[in-house]
Amino acid sequence: MGALFRSEEMNLCQIFLQSEAAYACVSELGELGMVQFKDLNPDVNAFQRKFVSEIMRCEEMERKLRYIHRELKKDGMKIPDRDENPKAPAPKEMIDLEATFEKIESELKEVNTNAEALRRNYLELTELKEVLKKTQIFFAEHGRHGIVDDAQHALAHDEGGGGFVPVTSVQLGFVAGVIPREKVPAFERLLWFANRGNTFLKHDEIDQPLEDPVSGDAISKCVFLIFFQGEQLKARVRKICEGFKATLYPCPESASERVEMLNGVSTRLEDLNTVLHQTEDHRKRVLMSAQKEIRPWIIKVKKIKAIYHTLNMCNFDVSHNSLIAECWTPVSGLEEIQSALKHGTELSGSTVPSILHRMQTKEVPPTYFKTNKFTTVFQEIIDAYGIATYQEVNPAPYAIISFPFLFAVMFGDFGHGFIMFLAGLWMVITEKKLTSGKSDNEIMSMFVGGRYIITMMGLFSVYTGLIYNDCFSKSVNIFGSGWHPSYDFRTLQKETSWTMNPADHFDNTTGPYPFGVDPIWQSSMNKITFTNSLKMKMSVIFGVSQMLLGVLLSFVNHAYFRRPLNVFCEFIPQLVFLMCLFGYLVALVFYKWLFFTAECPQYAPQLLIQFINMFLLTYTPRVMPANFTGDLYACTSIEPTSINATSQTVFFEHQQPIQITLVILALLMVPTMLLVKPFVLRARHNARVKRRQGLYATSQRTLIHNEEHPEPSDDSKGVKGDKPEAHLSDIELGAVRGKDNIAINGEEEDGGIVGHSEVGISEPEEDEEEFDMGEVFIHQAIHTIEYCLGCISHTASYLRLWALSLAHAQLSEVLWSMLFRFGLTFDMAYVGGILLWAVFGAFAVVTVAVLLLMEGLSAFLHTLRLHWVEFNSKFYMGDGYKFAPYNFKHLLDADLDE
């Protein structure tokens, strides 16, 4: 948890790598995953870098692997997902990998080309076989002369309307072929219109679906016969067939020749089918051999490519034949990084060790948190709002508890929470199985990734459900109710009169219900009045408490970054403003709970009216009667009218001066936050400018004096005591002035960050950034207005805890009363049980779909808003950038098609 509270301490390191050991060292650093390299060649084109040829070779290998991967998918062969992490191969092994991939790719391409040619030949022979069979059937059914006579009668009609010409005078020819089924109607119409009805078409569909030789998809075709007269029509028919991409096949006129050709085609088809099976078997053998090794190959190629991409980010020192890299590393991992560099040097066989040198820099380091599989999901929720500034307080440790708790406040139901807890627990128990393979279902992957937070939210919902005493909209009486109403049966039948009055029905002898809400409220008509009041006050208490925690955490940030000005000008006024107004409201809630019991409900104040009157300075004092001798503010049995007591009168001693003092203090904090810091920054700026001008004038006088009166050099003469500032060298004077040089960026924040001055003396205008008082004042005004208005709006925003809790409880009650309770009223033997089973199924489905998924998602989003806006805005800047280490782990799950 300590590592989560504040980000890891980072440093900028410089690594000197010998050329022969650079590849192995970078490979070991990738396996370690604790180094973020900086690109030292940002202006160099990607095609002009040193290792661009090696990267192009890796991309070519990836292309070949993608081709093999597609072939595996085409045959439905899955890539085995084994838990293996092969090391990055040495550079000399790239040649072997390239040769292996080239051999497999060429072999697959050759097999695919041959198989495609064989399938095309097989398709043509199959179509020819179908043409011969259909033609044989045509002539067998109608006879050769019968079909020709029909065609002759159809074609011998006189175009002038003069009847028929003699049958023996018409000489007919025919062509046979195959055409796609969907083109037959258009083909038939075009034949008719293009030839003016002088052709006769006969077609029939092929029963078995044919296979496309390229895509392998099933296609449907028809066999056709076209009868015509003359060579001119024959040429026209062939052109129309060519336009429709119909395939024409030779078909003998005699039956014996057709039978002989059909037997020959069948024999060739059997031989071709045997060759096709052998080709497919050979292809499968090649793919099966590649299937076993393709996952390690993918990982190796991606690692090689990542290594050379990283080496391209380094500078090449020609004189020393070495590579120079700069990287961000966590301080806690320096020993592991040095061990990885040593191991890489040993693997490469180099005798010159790699050097890791820590650098001093003014750059802002990246933010890095050490997380595990439990805390990762909470950290990702915070990172979605903004990456923490370096060394800033991290809200994630507090979100581990507050996030599921606030969710449970809105989702408080024992039954629903228990179902959610079981679902999350199942995903936690089976996490190895669920996370082992890559799922295409994004929603399921999201649920699996948040399995721990789902389990926590369900567990906390079980607790709040016990507090609310709510289980599927029903209450459970475990300890015995503390209410004992005296209603008779006749009164109970009147639902409107069944209300709970503390003065009449609460039993002081038994006391309140030991844990949670008394179950008797579930049957009361004024249940919502009671629960609304309880949940509303609880929402305000939780909201003010969480905002107070956020303000206190801002002090931790200011103290850590040494911002004393922010502590006095921001933290203290913010704390006083919050506590004087809303902290006082929370105190009033507890005061009312403690001092106003069921014995005197007539004296209970209305806190909302009291809080409004606090700002309006409107007070209604209690009037003591002449004969009153007791405590005016005690809970007594005297009627409220006797002492002029209402819900708007003062209800504790010295209430008016206390509230006036709190309002004045809160109002005074507004100008304090608004004005003090800008004027303090301006005063510091003016003092710094005067100091620098004085130092500059002194240095100028010293230089003139030394030119007019040069001192003789005496090496034997020692320096006694400290040098006066006027006699300091440029470098020494720069070191002295460094104490007074405060970074302007730090001043915008708090004026407490000490920077470094440039070496030497220059004009004050060159060293000093212009101080814009207006910009600083506007920035502080925005910050002040945002905080003051935010305290009011954020406190009201926490009322969503009450609103969503009420909505969830009412939806659950409506679902029970309108569905399940209706099913329990069935009074039918046997059939009633079946109907009740169906009703329970519908009740379960609606419960899971609406109350668990939809309501759960709604409560999750509202909880997310409370943490991002209401809580984080009090202390969290989120202006950092995430530590992105050079790591091989993300390559293990990388998809080849990405």
Side-chain angles (χ1 to χ4, degrees):
M1 189 64 71
L4 265 184
F5 180 75
R6 207 179 294 279
S7 61
E8 292 285 324
E9 185 179 353
M10 307 291 290
N11 54 14
L12 184 63
C13 295
Q14 198 173 40
I15 304 178
F16 296 89
L17 303 170
Q18 292 300 314
S19 296
E20 62 272 12
Y23 182 92
C25 291
V26 172
S27 175
E28 291 298 319
L29 292 177
E31 298 290 348
L32 182 62
M34 298 184 66
V35 174
Q36 178 180 337
F37 286 93
K38 293 179 61 180
D39 191 359
L40 302 182
N41 307 301
D43 300 329
V44 180
N45 191 288
F47 295 98
Q48 296 177 348
R49 302 202 178 194
K50 181 176 177 59
F51 300 99
V52 63
S53 59
E54 285 80 0
I55 292 177
M56 294 178 68
R57 290 169 61 189
C58 292
E59 291 178 348
E60 179 65 18
M61 287 191 289
E62 284 185 339
R63 184 195 63 79
K64 296 174 182 178
L65 286 174
R66 279 195 294 269
Y67 175 76
I68 300 172
H69 194 194
R70 285 196 301 268
E71 294 299 316
L72 288 171
K73 283 186 175 181
K74 187 185 296 183
D75 280 20
M77 302 173 66
K78 294 184 179 180
I79 298 178
D81 193 6
R82 298 188 294 268
D83 294 335
E84 53 184 345
N85 183 15
K87 291 279 188 178
K92 59 183 179 181
E93 297 182 20
M94 287 181 62
I95 301 176
D96 299 334
L97 288 176
E98 288 175 324
T100 303
F101 300 158
E102 179 66 28
K103 178 183 177 182
I104 296 175
E105 184 192 27
S106 60
E107 192 169 359
L108 282 176
K109 284 185 175 179
E110 183 179 358
V111 170
N112 290 340
T113 303
N114 295 335
E116 184 179 340
L118 290 173
R119 285 194 295 269
R120 185 176 287 106
N121 194 7
Y122 185 84
L123 177 64
E124 292 175 356
L125 290 176
T126 304
E127 290 178 350
L128 176 57
K129 180 181 178 181
E130 292 295 328
V131 168
L132 294 173
K133 288 172 62 177
K134 297 293 183 182
T135 306
Q136 189 73 5
I137 293 173
F138 289 158
F139 287 114
E141 289 180 353
H142 303 280
R144 162 70 180 172
H145 297 289
I147 296 180
V148 173
D149 291 343
D150 293 341
Q152 287 175 344
H153 281 290
L155 299 177
H157 189 271
D158 184 18
E159 294 183 1
F164 295 93
V165 297
V167 176
T168 56
S169 64
V170 179
Q171 299 296 327
L172 296 179
F174 72 93
V175 294
V178 175
I179 189 172
R181 185 177 59 183
E182 62 273 7
K183 296 182 179 180
V184 171
F187 181 64
E188 187 174 5
R189 287 194 301 269
L190 185 60
L191 279 173
W192 175 263
F193 288 111
N195 299 318
R196 298 183 180 180
N198 292 320
T199 56
F200 178 75
L201 175 66
K202 185 74 174 178
H203 62 84
D204 191 13
E205 185 177 350
I206 299 176
D207 297 331
Q208 62 176 3
L210 304 177
E211 183 180 352
D212 187 89
V214 179
S215 62
D217 298 333
I219 53 177
S220 299
K221 291 189 175 182
C222 292
V223 175
F224 63 87
L225 280 172
I226 304 176
F227 292 90
F228 50 83
Q229 178 187 3
E231 293 297 327
Q232 186 177 0
L233 284 179
K234 182 179 179 180
R236 191 177 298 174
V237 166
R238 286 184 175 275
K239 288 183 179 180
I240 293 174
C241 292
E242 183 181 352
F244 276 87
K245 295 184 179 180
T247 308
L248 298 179
Y249 291 99
C251 183
E253 294 187 4
S254 64
S256 59
E257 292 179 354
R258 286 195 297 269
V259 172
E260 184 180 356
M261 180 180 286
L262 181 61
N263 293 332
V265 170
S266 299
T267 304
R268 291 174 60 188
L269 278 174
E270 292 177 0
D271 297 338
L272 194 58
N273 195 22
T274 304
V275 176
L276 270 174
H277 282 302
Q278 292 176 354
T279 305
E280 289 296 328
D281 292 340
H282 177 64
R283 183 174 183 275
K284 285 185 178 180
R285 286 195 297 269
V286 175
L287 289 177
M288 288 177 65
S289 62
Q291 181 187 18
K292 301 175 182 178
E293 299 294 334
I294 188 169
R295 176 62 65 182
W297 287 342
I298 292 173
I299 297 174
K300 287 180 180 180
V301 172
K302 285 188 172 293
K303 285 186 176 182
I304 297 172
K305 186 178 178 181
I307 290 171
Y308 282 118
H309 269 299
T310 304
L311 292 175
N312 273 338
M313 300 169 68
C314 305
N315 280 334
F316 185 69
D317 189 356
V318 181
S319 59
H320 296 86
N321 193 24
S322 62
L323 293 172
I324 303 174
E326 291 184 6
C327 56
W328 290 106
T329 61
V331 176
S332 59
L334 287 177
E335 294 183 1
E336 298 179 33
I337 295 172
Q338 290 176 344
S339 300
L341 292 174
K342 182 179 178 182
H343 187 234
T345 305
E346 293 174 354
L347 290 177
S348 64
S350 176
T351 57
V352 180
S354 300
I355 301 174
L356 179 67
H357 171 63
R358 298 179 65 176
M359 303 173 61
Q360 299 294 330
T361 180
K362 295 181 181 179
E363 295 183 36
V364 179
T367 302
Y368 171 56
F369 294 103
K370 286 184 179 179
T371 57
N372 51 38
K373 58 184 179 181
F374 175 75
T375 57
T376 297
V377 61
F378 296 96
Q379 188 61 56
E380 288 179 353
I381 288 175
I382 301 301
D383 291 345
Y385 173 78
I387 305 299
T389 308
Y390 179 65
Q391 294 283 286
E392 184 182 20
V393 171
N394 184 23
Y398 308 97
I400 293 176
I401 299 298
S402 63
F403 195 96
F405 177 73
L406 292 183
F407 172 88
V409 172
M410 294 181 278
F411 197 78
D413 189 289
F414 178 87
H416 300 154
F418 189 67
I419 295 175
M420 182 178 291
F421 170 73
L422 291 180
L425 186 63
W426 172 76
M427 288 188 287
V428 170
I429 294 174
T430 60
E431 62 180 7
K432 288 186 178 179
K433 180 181 178 181
L434 295 174
T435 57
S436 59
K438 185 177 180 181
S439 175
D440 295 332
N441 192 337
E442 295 184 4
I443 296 179
M444 186 61 189
S445 300
M446 223 173 351
F447 279 115
V448 173
R451 57 192 179 276
Y452 287 101
I453 194 172
I454 292 175
T455 307
M456 292 281 287
M457 291 189 301
L459 188 61
F460 276 74
S461 297
V462 169
Y463 169 74
T464 53
L466 292 175
I467 294 295
Y468 296 155
N469 203 345
D470 201 354
C471 180
F472 297 112
S473 78
K474 299 286 107 179
S475 60
V476 180
N477 191 355
I478 301 176
F479 303 102
S481 176
W483 295 73
H484 300 281
S486 58
Y487 294 141
D488 55 10
F489 181 73
R490 184 176 300 176
T491 307
L492 292 177
Q493 288 181 332
K494 300 178 181 178
E495 297 182 359
T496 55
S497 62
W498 174 238
T499 58
M500 305 297 295
N501 187 355
D504 300 332
H505 304 136
F506 185 71
D507 189 1
N508 289 327
T509 59
T510 59
Y513 197 70
F515 185 79
V517 177
D518 198 299
I520 199 70
W521 285 106
Q522 189 66 32
S523 304
S524 175
M525 294 300 297
N526 59 341
K527 175 188 67 173
I528 294 181
T529 304
F530 167 73
T531 55
N532 276 0
S533 176
L534 174 66
K535 293 179 179 180
M536 188 185 300
K537 292 180 175 63
M538 286 174 53
S539 301
V540 174
I541 293 172
F542 293 150
V544 174
S545 301
Q546 191 175 32
M547 290 192 296
L548 176 62
L549 175 63
V551 175
L552 293 177
L553 289 177
S554 68
F555 170 76
V556 177
N557 278 333
H558 298 327
Y560 181 82
F561 292 114
R562 299 178 183 178
R563 302 168 180 168
L565 183 60
N566 280 10
V567 173
F568 292 103
C569 298
E570 290 185 1
F571 165 70
I572 293 178
Q574 289 177 359
L575 181 64
V576 173
F577 183 86
L578 180 65
M579 295 307 296
C580 286
L581 299 183
F582 302 102
Y584 173 71
L585 178 61
V586 172
L588 291 183
V589 172
F590 282 102
Y591 183 87
K592 181 177 179 180
W593 283 348
L594 293 176
F595 295 98
F596 291 89
T597 62
E599 298 178 355
C600 51
Q602 66 272 20
Y603 296 101
Q606 292 184 3
L607 296 184
L608 181 60
I609 303 300
Q610 293 282 348
F611 196 62
I612 294 174
N613 290 338
M614 175 180 172
F615 294 95
L616 298 178
L617 302 180
T618 302
Y619 297 94
T620 305
R622 294 189 177 187
V623 179
M624 185 189 311
N627 57 352
F628 184 75
T629 58
D631 188 357
L632 184 64
Y633 300 99
C635 187
T636 64
S637 59
I638 299 178
E639 293 295 330
T641 55
S642 62
I643 56 174
N644 193 24
T646 64
S647 60
Q648 300 186 26
T649 57
V650 294
F651 55 94
F652 67 90
E653 193 174 1
H654 307 301
Q655 178 181 350
Q656 181 174 353
I658 291 175
Q659 292 187 166
I660 292 176
T661 304
L662 293 176
V663 171
I664 293 175
L665 280 176
L667 294 177
L668 287 176
M669 294 302 105
V670 177
T672 303
M673 287 186 284
L674 179 63
L675 301 175
V676 175
K677 182 177 177 179
F679 285 103
V680 171
L681 292 178
R682 182 184 180 186
R684 288 183 177 181
H685 168 76
N686 293 337
R688 188 167 57 252
V689 170
K690 290 181 180 179
R691 241 186 348 259
R692 290 188 176 184
Q693 289 177 349
L695 288 174
Y696 178 76
T698 304
S699 62
Q700 292 294 327
R701 289 195 299 270
T702 302
L703 291 175
I704 295 174
H705 176 76
N706 291 340
E707 290 177 359
E708 294 178 353
H709 306 282
E711 294 184 1
S713 60
D714 188 1
D715 297 338
S716 62
K717 183 179 180 181
V719 179
K720 297 182 180 180
D722 295 330
K723 293 182 181 180
E725 187 175 326
H727 295 104
L728 293 178
S729 65
D730 290 349
I731 297 178
E732 292 171 335
L733 184 59
V736 172
R737 290 169 53 222
K739 296 184 293 183
D740 297 327
N741 183 18
I742 300 176
I744 298 301
N745 292 334
E747 286 290 1
E748 291 179 1
E749 184 64 29
D750 55 36
I753 300 178
V754 178
H756 301 279
S757 63
E758 298 293 335
V759 177
I761 302 173
S762 60
E763 293 292 337
E765 291 78 12
E766 296 179 1
D767 288 342
E768 183 67 28
E769 290 187 20
E770 183 179 357
F771 181 80
D772 191 348
M773 179 64 179
E775 182 179 352
V776 175
F777 185 83
I778 291 174
H779 178 271
Q780 194 64 21
I782 294 173
H783 184 75
T784 302
I785 295 172
E786 181 183 6
Y787 178 80
C788 295
L789 296 181
C791 283
I792 302 171
S793 62
H794 293 172
T795 303
S797 181
Y798 277 97
L799 293 178
R800 69 185 67 237
L801 298 174
W802 152 65
L804 266 77
S805 176
L806 174 64
H808 185 83
Q810 291 302 306
L811 278 175
S812 181
E813 185 173 354
V814 168
L815 181 62
W816 175 274
S817 61
M818 296 187 65
L819 190 61
F820 202 75
R821 190 173 66 180
F822 174 74
L824 292 175
T825 60
F826 292 145
D827 189 10
M828 293 177 287
Y830 303 109
V831 180
I834 299 176
L835 293 177
L836 182 60
W837 177 82
V839 168
F840 174 76
F843 173 79
V845 170
V846 176
T847 298
V848 173
V850 177
L851 293 179
L852 286 179
L853 294 179
M854 295 178 62
E855 276 288 310
L857 180 61
S858 174
F860 181 88
L861 293 177
H862 284 281
T863 309
L864 201 64
R865 182 236 153 80
L866 290 178
H867 281 77
W868 281 358
V869 179
E870 278 72 21
F871 179 55
N872 288 356
S873 62
K874 299 297 183 293
F875 68 99
Y876 188 62
M877 296 295 295
D879 291 335
Y881 63 100
K882 196 172 185 178
F883 177 61
Y886 164 66
N887 197 343
F888 285 157
K889 288 184 179 179
H890 71 279
L891 300 178
L892 303 180
D893 298 329
D895 193 355
L896 197 60
D897 294 330
E898 290 181 358

